[in-house]
Amino acid sequence: MRFTDRTDAGRRLAAAVQYLRDEKPVVLGLPRGGVPVAFEVARALDAPLDVIVVRKLGVPYQPELAFGAIGEGGVRVLNDDVVRHCGIDPEHIAAVERAERQELERRARRYRGGRPPAADEARTVTGEDRTVTREARTVIVVDDGIATGATAAAACQVVRAQGAARVVLAVPVAPPDAVHRLRAVADDVVCLSVPPLFGSVGEWYGDFSQTTDEEVAACLARAVADPARVRPAPALTEVEVEAAGVRLAGDLALPEGAAGLVMFAHGSGSSRHSPRNRAVAEVLQEAGLGTLLFDLLTPSEEADRNNVFDIGALAGRLAGATRWLREREPAPIGYFGASTGAAAALRAAADDPDIGAVVSRGGRPDLAGPRLDEVRAPTLLIVGGADTRVLDLNRAAQAQLRCENRLETVPGATHLFEEPGALDRVADLARSWFTTYLTADSDPSTSARREPRH
């Protein structure tokens, strides 16, 4: 079993732990990669989401050998056999714990953005006839995969020491020997794939790009700030998009009763697996919009960098894909473009008066050239405040637009919007723009007659 990315893995894992829904579990993700997987599990179970930060305690002269682990709330778990065999005295234990606890607390603060642990915010669940403390609830510990299992084992031990009634470890993939060992520290282990020939976790993912601290913090912030948004995601369907005589791989998500559809045009060096565009797509899906992420170029075409900057050809592919989508779904369509994909989106929109809205993230609208003044779809340009060269290019392009338009800068953000909260801001702006213009009764020609805003 292979997974497209951590979102795909999380959704599949969520289906496998549905039997725990009635236990009203708490879902804890291991940072970093386990948190986006845990996010999908939490929203499918309508469960609280938090991070489980643990630090292994290493033998002073052999730090890779753990003699215990610590967690938040002063929890410490020791392996007495290792302590005894290595002759570690209480002073050494205390010194190692002090250093690791400082790092644990620093990471926990960064991930939560200063918020208290979820257990402190909602310590009880009250029903008609009983009140159950969170410490006595089932806890699902989630990671994106297991190699040795040492960190996952430490997390399970810490959670149990914190008072969990039942500990379930849930992961997409792990080697058989690790799963066997972990059954000794967890009440149940849910693992979707247990391949006998296991090299690394990453080989079982199409996209296993590193999860950043900022992405961890964003997942937790979304779950806490707006619990209503953490709900089951629409099913993701792999499709072959027919465009200009070429079949292109894509992922289509259609929430029930979708008010509109957003097609993603990726930029140079990117693909439908882009974690940034997938993060934006999830926010749009939660707002009731369908999304289509697809590759504008085939793998062989991507090898030639000239194709990446052939805006006319990319726009033609996008236009063909738009026709393909319209034959299957009647909802209004908008474009979300990034980098050179934004130029392709604007060029295609100039030829299609029925496009409902366009959003550009860190885009190169200038590459759409003289066609900019023919765009009629309401257009939002989003640029990082620290991305000065691209910001200047967007200002110049905005001056050529004659449609409803706005330029939004995200303060302090660079080209990839990797700074804390930057991508969240992009997603919120895009959601607002698309939900405003992609409605069933929207009329792009009406928008075109409005006075442009600069």
Side-chain angles (χ1 to χ4, degrees), residues 268 296-315 317 340:
S268 58
L296 287 170
L297 299 172
T298 66
S300 60
E301 290 172 335
E302 289 175 352
D304 184 350
R305 291 289 294 172
N306 291 325
N307 291 328
V308 174
F309 291 92
D310 188 343
I311 304 303
L314 295 178
R317 290 276 176 90
T340 54

Side-chain angles (χ1 to χ4, degrees), residues 195-392:
L197 298 177
F198 184 95
S200 67
V201 173
E203 69 180 303
W204 302 99
Y205 282 82
D207 175 17
F208 198 64
S209 53
Q210 184 178 13
T211 302
T212 65
D213 286 347
E214 291 72 29
E215 288 173 302
V216 171
C219 281
L220 298 176
R222 287 170 64 191
V224 171
D226 191 357
R229 285 171 56 183
V230 185
R231 61 179 187 265
L236 198 65
T237 304
E238 294 184 3
V239 296
E240 279 194 341
V241 179
E242 297 178 9
V246 179
R247 291 181 177 271
L248 304 167
D251 296 319
L252 179 64
L254 286 175
E256 186 175 352
L261 297 165
V262 178
M263 302 178 68
F264 281 69
H266 306 291
S268 58
S270 187
S271 73
R272 71 185 189 281
H273 298 305
S274 162
R276 284 173 288 277
N277 282 345
R278 282 186 173 273
V280 174
E282 287 183 27
V283 172
L284 299 182
Q285 293 162 17
E286 292 163 3
L289 296 169
T291 62
L292 174 62
L293 291 91
F294 71 106
D295 298 329
L296 287 170
L297 299 172
T298 66
S300 60
E301 290 172 335
E302 289 175 352
D304 184 350
R305 291 289 294 172
N306 291 325
N307 291 328
V308 174
F309 291 92
D310 188 343
I311 304 303
L314 295 178
R317 290 276 176 90
L318 183 57
T322 303
R323 290 189 291 272
W324 176 89
L325 185 59
R326 281 190 177 129
E327 290 174 359
R328 288 154 179 78
E329 299 296 334
I333 291 175
Y335 292 153
F336 182 96
S339 190
T340 54
L346 287 164
R347 181 81 69 90
D351 291 327
D352 189 341
D354 291 327
I355 295 302
V358 177
V359 173
S360 163
R361 171 184 66 82
R364 291 291 308 275
D366 56 295
L367 295 178
R371 303 299 306 280
L372 283 171
D373 62 1
E374 299 175 41
V375 176
R376 293 296 175 261
T379 299
L380 174 64
L381 307 174
I382 308 174
V383 187
D387 192 9
T388 53
R389 178 174 176 273
V390 173
L391 181 57
D392 288 342

